[in-house]
Amino acid sequence: MRTDTAKSFYLKDYRAPDYLARTVDLRFVLHPEQSEVTATVSYERRKGADGDAPLVLDGDGLELVSASLDGKPLAGDRYSATPDRFTLASPPQRFTLKTVTRVNPGANTALSGLYLSGGNYCTQCEAEGFRRITYFTDRPDVMAVYSVRLEADAKQTPLLLSNGNPGRKGKLAGGRHFAEWHDPHPKPSYLFALVAGDLGSIHRAYVTSEGRKVKLGIHVQKGKENQAGYAMDALVRSMRWDEEVFGCAYDLDVFNIVAVPDFNMGAMENKGLNIFNDKYVLASPETATDTDYARIEGIVAHEYFHNWTGNRITCRDWFQLCLKEGLTVYRDQEFSADMRSRAVKRIEDVSLLRAHQFPEDAGPLAHPVRPDRYREINNFYTATVYEKGAELVRMIATLLGPDVFMKGMRRYLSKHDGEAATIEQFIACFEAVSKRDLSRFFLWYTQAGTPVLHVATHYDRSRKTFAVDIEQSQAPTPGQARKKPLHMPLAVGLVGSVSKQDLKAEKVTGAEDQGGIFELSQRRQKITFHGIDEKPVLSINRGFSAPVEIDYRHLDRELGLLAAHDSDLFMRWQSFRLFASRQIFAAMRSLARRKKPVWKKEFLDAAVKIAENGDLEPAFRAMALTLPSETELARLLGRNINPDAIYKARRALSNAVGEQLEPLRETITETLDLPDRFEPSGADAGKRELANRLLAYGVHADSETAEAALVEKFRAATNMTDREFAFRLILQEMQGTPAAEDAVTRFHERYRDDPIVLDKWFAAQAAVSGRGAVATCRKLVADDAFNWTNPNRVRSVIGTFSSGNPTGFNRADGAGYRFIIDAIRKLDAINPQVAARLLTAFRSWRMLEPERRKQAQSALRRLKKGRKLSRDSSEILDRMLS
Ligand code: TRP
Ligand code: ZN
């Protein structure tokens, strides 16, 4: 264990390694409590490195059994070995080092390195888990060719997998057996993986565009093979798509995916052997919702796409994490957009960005897409690196256009194949093919914070000009007081206030019109549209062309017009949503004065129009009709947050909308023609979502028929989408009634033996808003089925409560904060990565109203005063308190 928890690493300190590993030969003798790892590594001093530089290898909690150099046992004065470092004094230019270490997979609850999950051995090495297995130059710019031999009990561990292609296998004495694997592609240590266990498998044959025959395998808990089909289907579609769209074909003879129940994140792209959190593999109509299916599809694609963007081309150092993550998220977003509805996918992605990344950018945990400093790298697998990172790639595609963008991608993929690259090198590829200077664009990677575009407009009726004045700003973030203006593509349209159609300008001055896209690069810019005959309504940042906030005061009437008529679906959604937020904020003001809220008829009419509009995709209508979440509203308010007041006002609007929609519910639902048979398609998912959204409105409006329909839906649901939806709504709306108790019992009886669905049972209860939530959660963590070592289970209660239940978590007396802090303290000793992530639920604590702010602060301070925390949690805590 590294004890120095306060040390920071800086991008500016990067130095190439003194020694490069060329080949790595690993032999694992697997036992649950004592596994032996023999690593035989050929090292070579890097050209230009200091001739008498020692070889310094990383370790983390290791126990050295023996070491030898070029076949001879090492004398004790030649090396030193501590749990976290192996140092070899003055090695030769080229040499082979053999070390034997011992690890205990059964005791590894941090789920990093080699551990047991569901009785099977598996590994997680990104970012720095390999050093928990053996001493090594555990950094991504050391790429080597790996050969692996696994030995284990033949009966208990029939399946032996590692990276690359399979080699020899056979029986050994004592009921043991072995298998060998060889990966011809040089890779960094974080992509190493092994799996050994007793699993059920499904296989499929795939032939790449280059004619390579690949055997695909998905391995899951025995008896669940019939839940792996959708993931396999998604994998095959991903492989085809990457060939067709990016020209990337697979490069090994086998590709395996293994699903494990204990996993710190979603999934991991180990070369040829992706390991997944099983909830992102297993699906059946009875157990998985439409959202689950869509996530499985997206994550399978994401990990597969890493084979090129991440594995073939990896990162020089962890500061460059967005090089692989932002790019790969962009690729999986595009894949899902092609598989489903592009417009709907864009809205979902922007919602996600706003829900997770914008608050990060606006609080104490703000950091650039490419950070320049960290204490614990695991804390930087963030929405900023992933989701904002993807937006930056998307902006490059918008700025350069699809053809030049693809040319740049092809250049990147061929020029840096086999390398550990940097963001500078990535951007240089696009500069080369476009002959453009992207240095100002590069600031997006180094400046933290969400830019705001302050917009003012002026329509001159006599001159027929419409001027749009734009000023950029970017608030200070930790360590960055002043920012420079950024280079971005901004999609702008004008919608006629009378014609309600896109207006075409005769000419545009102040910026070049590239098909409705305008480039900004100065702090202040003025774009003037000429030949505008009627008063226009500004439609700005269409399609969310740049990840910025727009500060412009549309009139409510204008928002209504855009919501109904904008040619850009994203803007329609966005405008209606903003309109809804304003209704809620107005209601908050009324309620604070003990007055009944009054709703704009224009808004309620717009809601009805969206609900009824059969020309719009059902999924779009459902998303538009989903009111901004309590958390989103809090973010928009920005300060002095009282979550109870937000809840009440939002709920009041929901009642009002419900009263409008309830009389139409049955008719609209009928026109949807809901399918009898469950298909996980985006189109069908949208229909179910809209029907359910309308039902929720009916229940919010206290309609007895809607309530009866809800209870019936829960009873008779034929898929998990409907059942979970009904379950959650019953728990929330019928709190304390026998119907709610009955639902809890029934759901439990039905799914108690399926951990993934049981997580939904836990989460649904933890999400019920209100004061009682803390007591509920205390009960849930005391349940026999709750356990602190399974991250999914922990997240289903602790994560749902702290991030998905604003009124419960932010209880005015601080009981919610104290509950979470106690949970984090306990969890930190078991699994620091997951504990640190849960701790980020406090990231917006400074925006709370004074009483809650005080409570949150004292809970955080209490955590700081107590027993010493892991490096992971203490970094997050210190940043939040500073
Ligand atoms: N690289 C993985 C991905 O984006 C995520 C990842 C990083 C991860 N560190 C991890 C997964 C630790 C599990 C555990 O797909
Ligand atoms: Zn990734």
mmCIF file of all heavy atoms in Angstrom, residues 337-366:
data_model
loop_
_atom_site.group_PDB
_atom_site.id
_atom_site.type_symbol
_atom_site.label_atom_id
_atom_site.label_comp_id
_atom_site.label_asym_id
_atom_site.label_seq_id
_atom_site.Cartn_x
_atom_site.Cartn_y
_atom_site.Cartn_z
ATOM 1 N N ALA A 337 -26.148 6.304 -32.567
ATOM 2 C CA ALA A 337 -26.969 7.188 -33.404
ATOM 3 C C ALA A 337 -27.340 6.486 -34.703
ATOM 4 O O ALA A 337 -28.451 6.646 -35.209
ATOM 5 C CB ALA A 337 -26.223 8.490 -33.692
ATOM 6 N N ASP A 338 -26.416 5.702 -35.238
ATOM 7 C CA ASP A 338 -26.702 4.963 -36.476
ATOM 8 C C ASP A 338 -27.628 3.769 -36.241
ATOM 9 O O ASP A 338 -28.382 3.377 -37.126
ATOM 10 C CB ASP A 338 -25.399 4.474 -37.122
ATOM 11 C CG ASP A 338 -24.676 5.605 -37.852
ATOM 12 O OD1 ASP A 338 -25.277 6.683 -38.026
ATOM 13 O OD2 ASP A 338 -23.509 5.410 -38.247
ATOM 14 N N MET A 339 -27.543 3.194 -35.054
ATOM 15 C CA MET A 339 -28.368 2.017 -34.759
ATOM 16 C C MET A 339 -29.791 2.421 -34.378
ATOM 17 O O MET A 339 -30.722 1.646 -34.521
ATOM 18 C CB MET A 339 -27.780 1.220 -33.583
ATOM 19 C CG MET A 339 -26.434 0.593 -33.843
ATOM 20 S SD MET A 339 -26.498 -0.647 -35.143
ATOM 21 C CE MET A 339 -25.283 0.031 -36.270
ATOM 22 N N ARG A 340 -29.927 3.610 -33.805
ATOM 23 C CA ARG A 340 -31.225 4.042 -33.290
ATOM 24 C C ARG A 340 -31.588 5.386 -33.913
ATOM 25 O O ARG A 340 -31.300 5.613 -35.075
ATOM 26 C CB ARG A 340 -31.170 4.107 -31.756
ATOM 27 C CG ARG A 340 -31.021 2.713 -31.168
ATOM 28 C CD ARG A 340 -30.515 2.692 -29.744
ATOM 29 N NE ARG A 340 -30.381 1.301 -29.295
ATOM 30 C CZ ARG A 340 -31.229 0.695 -28.475
ATOM 31 N NH1 ARG A 340 -32.241 1.350 -27.960
ATOM 32 N NH2 ARG A 340 -31.048 -0.569 -28.153
ATOM 33 N N SER A 341 -32.238 6.256 -33.167
ATOM 34 C CA SER A 341 -32.593 7.564 -33.717
ATOM 35 C C SER A 341 -31.494 8.568 -33.400
ATOM 36 O O SER A 341 -31.139 8.774 -32.242
ATOM 37 C CB SER A 341 -33.912 8.041 -33.111
ATOM 38 O OG SER A 341 -33.986 9.448 -33.180
ATOM 39 N N ARG A 342 -30.951 9.176 -34.435
ATOM 40 C CA ARG A 342 -29.861 10.131 -34.240
ATOM 41 C C ARG A 342 -30.304 11.323 -33.382
ATOM 42 O O ARG A 342 -29.596 11.728 -32.460
ATOM 43 C CB ARG A 342 -29.338 10.605 -35.600
ATOM 44 C CG ARG A 342 -28.169 11.543 -35.540
ATOM 45 C CD ARG A 342 -27.443 11.638 -36.880
ATOM 46 N NE ARG A 342 -26.585 10.485 -37.097
ATOM 47 C CZ ARG A 342 -25.306 10.412 -36.691
ATOM 48 N NH1 ARG A 342 -24.755 11.431 -36.062
ATOM 49 N NH2 ARG A 342 -24.589 9.328 -36.909
ATOM 50 N N ALA A 343 -31.475 11.850 -33.662
ATOM 51 C CA ALA A 343 -31.936 13.026 -32.911
ATOM 52 C C ALA A 343 -32.131 12.682 -31.438
ATOM 53 O O ALA A 343 -31.714 13.426 -30.545
ATOM 54 C CB ALA A 343 -33.241 13.550 -33.499
ATOM 55 N N VAL A 344 -32.756 11.546 -31.187
ATOM 56 C CA VAL A 344 -33.010 11.139 -29.809
ATOM 57 C C VAL A 344 -31.693 10.886 -29.080
ATOM 58 O O VAL A 344 -31.502 11.283 -27.929
ATOM 59 C CB VAL A 344 -33.916 9.885 -29.782
ATOM 60 C CG1 VAL A 344 -33.942 9.252 -28.399
ATOM 61 C CG2 VAL A 344 -35.328 10.254 -30.237
ATOM 62 N N LYS A 345 -30.762 10.254 -29.766
ATOM 63 C CA LYS A 345 -29.471 9.961 -29.150
ATOM 64 C C LYS A 345 -28.746 11.253 -28.777
ATOM 65 O O LYS A 345 -28.141 11.363 -27.719
ATOM 66 C CB LYS A 345 -28.627 9.124 -30.119
ATOM 67 C CG LYS A 345 -27.212 8.829 -29.653
ATOM 68 C CD LYS A 345 -27.167 7.964 -28.404
ATOM 69 C CE LYS A 345 -25.720 7.624 -28.032
ATOM 70 N NZ LYS A 345 -25.590 7.270 -26.610
ATOM 71 N N ARG A 346 -28.833 12.244 -29.654
ATOM 72 C CA ARG A 346 -28.149 13.502 -29.364
ATOM 73 C C ARG A 346 -28.738 14.152 -28.109
ATOM 74 O O ARG A 346 -28.009 14.645 -27.246
ATOM 75 C CB ARG A 346 -28.253 14.450 -30.568
ATOM 76 C CG ARG A 346 -27.457 15.725 -30.415
ATOM 77 C CD ARG A 346 -25.959 15.445 -30.340
ATOM 78 N NE ARG A 346 -25.156 16.634 -30.031
ATOM 79 C CZ ARG A 346 -24.125 16.631 -29.199
ATOM 80 N NH1 ARG A 346 -23.743 15.515 -28.585
ATOM 81 N NH2 ARG A 346 -23.451 17.731 -28.976
ATOM 82 N N ILE A 347 -30.045 14.117 -28.011
ATOM 83 C CA ILE A 347 -30.692 14.705 -26.835
ATOM 84 C C ILE A 347 -30.274 13.948 -25.567
ATOM 85 O O ILE A 347 -29.956 14.551 -24.542
ATOM 86 C CB ILE A 347 -32.223 14.706 -27.007
ATOM 87 C CG1 ILE A 347 -32.606 15.655 -28.154
ATOM 88 C CG2 ILE A 347 -32.918 15.119 -25.722
ATOM 89 C CD1 ILE A 347 -34.055 15.567 -28.586
ATOM 90 N N GLU A 348 -30.231 12.646 -25.667
ATOM 91 C CA GLU A 348 -29.806 11.854 -24.500
ATOM 92 C C GLU A 348 -28.377 12.202 -24.097
ATOM 93 O O GLU A 348 -28.064 12.350 -22.912
ATOM 94 C CB GLU A 348 -29.871 10.350 -24.814
ATOM 95 C CG GLU A 348 -31.276 9.811 -24.883
ATOM 96 C CD GLU A 348 -31.332 8.384 -25.444
ATOM 97 O OE1 GLU A 348 -30.289 7.857 -25.888
ATOM 98 O OE2 GLU A 348 -32.429 7.825 -25.446
ATOM 99 N N ASP A 349 -27.492 12.303 -25.080
ATOM 100 C CA ASP A 349 -26.091 12.581 -24.766
ATOM 101 C C ASP A 349 -25.925 13.971 -24.151
ATOM 102 O O ASP A 349 -25.128 14.154 -23.229
ATOM 103 C CB ASP A 349 -25.233 12.453 -26.035
ATOM 104 C CG ASP A 349 -25.133 11.006 -26.500
ATOM 105 O OD1 ASP A 349 -25.392 10.098 -25.689
ATOM 106 O OD2 ASP A 349 -24.809 10.792 -27.685
ATOM 107 N N VAL A 350 -26.652 14.926 -24.668
ATOM 108 C CA VAL A 350 -26.547 16.279 -24.102
ATOM 109 C C VAL A 350 -27.128 16.304 -22.683
ATOM 110 O O VAL A 350 -26.570 16.930 -21.783
ATOM 111 C CB VAL A 350 -27.237 17.316 -25.013
ATOM 112 C CG1 VAL A 350 -27.225 18.693 -24.360
ATOM 113 C CG2 VAL A 350 -26.538 17.382 -26.370
ATOM 114 N N SER A 351 -28.234 15.602 -22.493
ATOM 115 C CA SER A 351 -28.799 15.548 -21.134
ATOM 116 C C SER A 351 -27.778 14.983 -20.154
ATOM 117 O O SER A 351 -27.625 15.484 -19.040
ATOM 118 C CB SER A 351 -30.018 14.629 -21.081
ATOM 119 O OG SER A 351 -31.008 15.110 -21.911
ATOM 120 N N LEU A 352 -27.113 13.922 -20.603
ATOM 121 C CA LEU A 352 -26.120 13.284 -19.743
ATOM 122 C C LEU A 352 -24.974 14.248 -19.440
ATOM 123 O O LEU A 352 -24.521 14.375 -18.302
ATOM 124 C CB LEU A 352 -25.591 12.035 -20.453
ATOM 125 C CG LEU A 352 -24.742 11.130 -19.597
ATOM 126 C CD1 LEU A 352 -25.665 10.176 -18.833
ATOM 127 C CD2 LEU A 352 -23.779 10.309 -20.460
ATOM 128 N N LEU A 353 -24.526 14.936 -20.461
ATOM 129 C CA LEU A 353 -23.431 15.894 -20.284
ATOM 130 C C LEU A 353 -23.838 16.972 -19.277
ATOM 131 O O LEU A 353 -23.096 17.313 -18.368
ATOM 132 C CB LEU A 353 -23.082 16.540 -21.628
ATOM 133 C CG LEU A 353 -21.889 17.483 -21.618
ATOM 134 C CD1 LEU A 353 -20.590 16.695 -21.747
ATOM 135 C CD2 LEU A 353 -21.980 18.519 -22.726
ATOM 136 N N ARG A 354 -25.029 17.492 -19.453
ATOM 137 C CA ARG A 354 -25.486 18.547 -18.548
ATOM 138 C C ARG A 354 -25.693 18.026 -17.132
ATOM 139 O O ARG A 354 -25.437 18.726 -16.158
ATOM 140 C CB ARG A 354 -26.792 19.138 -19.058
ATOM 141 C CG ARG A 354 -26.597 20.044 -20.250
ATOM 142 C CD ARG A 354 -27.926 20.669 -20.608
ATOM 143 N NE ARG A 354 -27.793 21.649 -21.665
ATOM 144 C CZ ARG A 354 -28.712 21.832 -22.603
ATOM 145 N NH1 ARG A 354 -29.816 21.107 -22.609
ATOM 146 N NH2 ARG A 354 -28.528 22.735 -23.531
ATOM 147 N N ALA A 355 -26.149 16.800 -17.026
ATOM 148 C CA ALA A 355 -26.429 16.261 -15.694
ATOM 149 C C ALA A 355 -25.151 15.916 -14.940
ATOM 150 O O ALA A 355 -25.096 16.043 -13.723
ATOM 151 C CB ALA A 355 -27.323 15.029 -15.801
ATOM 152 N N HIS A 356 -24.121 15.456 -15.648
ATOM 153 C CA HIS A 356 -22.918 15.002 -14.942
ATOM 154 C C HIS A 356 -21.698 15.886 -15.142
ATOM 155 O O HIS A 356 -20.919 16.086 -14.217
ATOM 156 C CB HIS A 356 -22.583 13.560 -15.352
ATOM 157 C CG HIS A 356 -23.657 12.595 -15.008
ATOM 158 N ND1 HIS A 356 -23.923 12.229 -13.706
ATOM 159 C CD2 HIS A 356 -24.551 11.941 -15.762
ATOM 160 C CE1 HIS A 356 -24.945 11.386 -13.690
ATOM 161 N NE2 HIS A 356 -25.348 11.194 -14.932
ATOM 162 N N GLN A 357 -21.536 16.373 -16.367
ATOM 163 C CA GLN A 357 -20.312 17.129 -16.622
ATOM 164 C C GLN A 357 -20.428 18.601 -16.234
ATOM 165 O O GLN A 357 -19.502 19.155 -15.638
ATOM 166 C CB GLN A 357 -19.924 16.994 -18.101
ATOM 167 C CG GLN A 357 -18.445 17.297 -18.357
ATOM 168 C CD GLN A 357 -18.173 18.780 -18.466
ATOM 169 O OE1 GLN A 357 -18.984 19.534 -18.988
ATOM 170 N NE2 GLN A 357 -17.022 19.205 -17.939
ATOM 171 N N PHE A 358 -21.541 19.223 -16.545
ATOM 172 C CA PHE A 358 -21.671 20.647 -16.210
ATOM 173 C C PHE A 358 -21.506 20.895 -14.709
ATOM 174 O O PHE A 358 -20.802 21.838 -14.320
ATOM 175 C CB PHE A 358 -23.007 21.211 -16.732
ATOM 176 C CG PHE A 358 -22.992 21.609 -18.196
ATOM 177 C CD1 PHE A 358 -22.102 21.036 -19.092
ATOM 178 C CD2 PHE A 358 -23.871 22.573 -18.678
ATOM 179 C CE1 PHE A 358 -22.080 21.397 -20.440
ATOM 180 C CE2 PHE A 358 -23.865 22.955 -20.018
ATOM 181 C CZ PHE A 358 -22.971 22.364 -20.895
ATOM 182 N N PRO A 359 -22.114 20.085 -13.853
ATOM 183 C CA PRO A 359 -21.898 20.320 -12.415
ATOM 184 C C PRO A 359 -20.435 20.117 -12.013
ATOM 185 O O PRO A 359 -19.927 20.806 -11.126
ATOM 186 C CB PRO A 359 -22.774 19.265 -11.737
ATOM 187 C CG PRO A 359 -23.745 18.822 -12.770
ATOM 188 C CD PRO A 359 -23.088 19.014 -14.095
ATOM 189 N N GLU A 360 -19.768 19.175 -12.677
ATOM 190 C CA GLU A 360 -18.360 18.962 -12.368
ATOM 191 C C GLU A 360 -17.582 20.226 -12.715
ATOM 192 O O GLU A 360 -16.785 20.729 -11.921
ATOM 193 C CB GLU A 360 -17.872 17.795 -13.241
ATOM 194 C CG GLU A 360 -16.660 17.069 -12.740
ATOM 195 C CD GLU A 360 -16.561 15.717 -13.439
ATOM 196 O OE1 GLU A 360 -15.994 15.656 -14.545
ATOM 197 O OE2 GLU A 360 -17.062 14.724 -12.891
ATOM 198 N N ASP A 361 -17.834 20.755 -13.902
ATOM 199 C CA ASP A 361 -17.167 21.965 -14.373
ATOM 200 C C ASP A 361 -17.479 23.178 -13.507
ATOM 201 O O ASP A 361 -16.723 24.145 -13.489
ATOM 202 C CB ASP A 361 -17.636 22.269 -15.809
ATOM 203 C CG ASP A 361 -16.513 22.102 -16.831
ATOM 204 O OD1 ASP A 361 -15.351 21.950 -16.413
ATOM 205 O OD2 ASP A 361 -16.810 22.128 -18.038
ATOM 206 N N ALA A 362 -18.612 23.138 -12.831
ATOM 207 C CA ALA A 362 -19.048 24.319 -12.075
ATOM 208 C C ALA A 362 -18.677 24.235 -10.602
ATOM 209 O O ALA A 362 -19.020 25.132 -9.827
ATOM 210 C CB ALA A 362 -20.561 24.489 -12.220
ATOM 211 N N GLY A 363 -17.996 23.189 -10.190
ATOM 212 C CA GLY A 363 -17.737 23.010 -8.766
ATOM 213 C C GLY A 363 -16.261 22.797 -8.449
ATOM 214 O O GLY A 363 -15.394 23.003 -9.304
ATOM 215 N N PRO A 364 -15.993 22.367 -7.212
ATOM 216 C CA PRO A 364 -14.604 22.240 -6.761
ATOM 217 C C PRO A 364 -13.840 21.105 -7.455
ATOM 218 O O PRO A 364 -12.619 21.046 -7.355
ATOM 219 C CB PRO A 364 -14.749 21.946 -5.266
ATOM 220 C CG PRO A 364 -16.123 21.377 -5.105
ATOM 221 C CD PRO A 364 -16.963 22.043 -6.155
ATOM 222 N N LEU A 365 -14.544 20.206 -8.127
ATOM 223 C CA LEU A 365 -13.843 19.106 -8.795
ATOM 224 C C LEU A 365 -13.552 19.418 -10.272
ATOM 225 O O LEU A 365 -13.132 18.545 -11.022
ATOM 226 C CB LEU A 365 -14.655 17.804 -8.688
ATOM 227 C CG LEU A 365 -14.927 17.309 -7.264
ATOM 228 C CD1 LEU A 365 -15.676 15.982 -7.285
ATOM 229 C CD2 LEU A 365 -13.627 17.149 -6.472
ATOM 230 N N ALA A 366 -13.781 20.658 -10.681
ATOM 231 C CA ALA A 366 -13.544 21.026 -12.088
ATOM 232 C C ALA A 366 -12.093 20.766 -12.473
ATOM 233 O O ALA A 366 -11.167 21.024 -11.705
ATOM 234 C CB ALA A 366 -13.877 22.503 -12.302
#
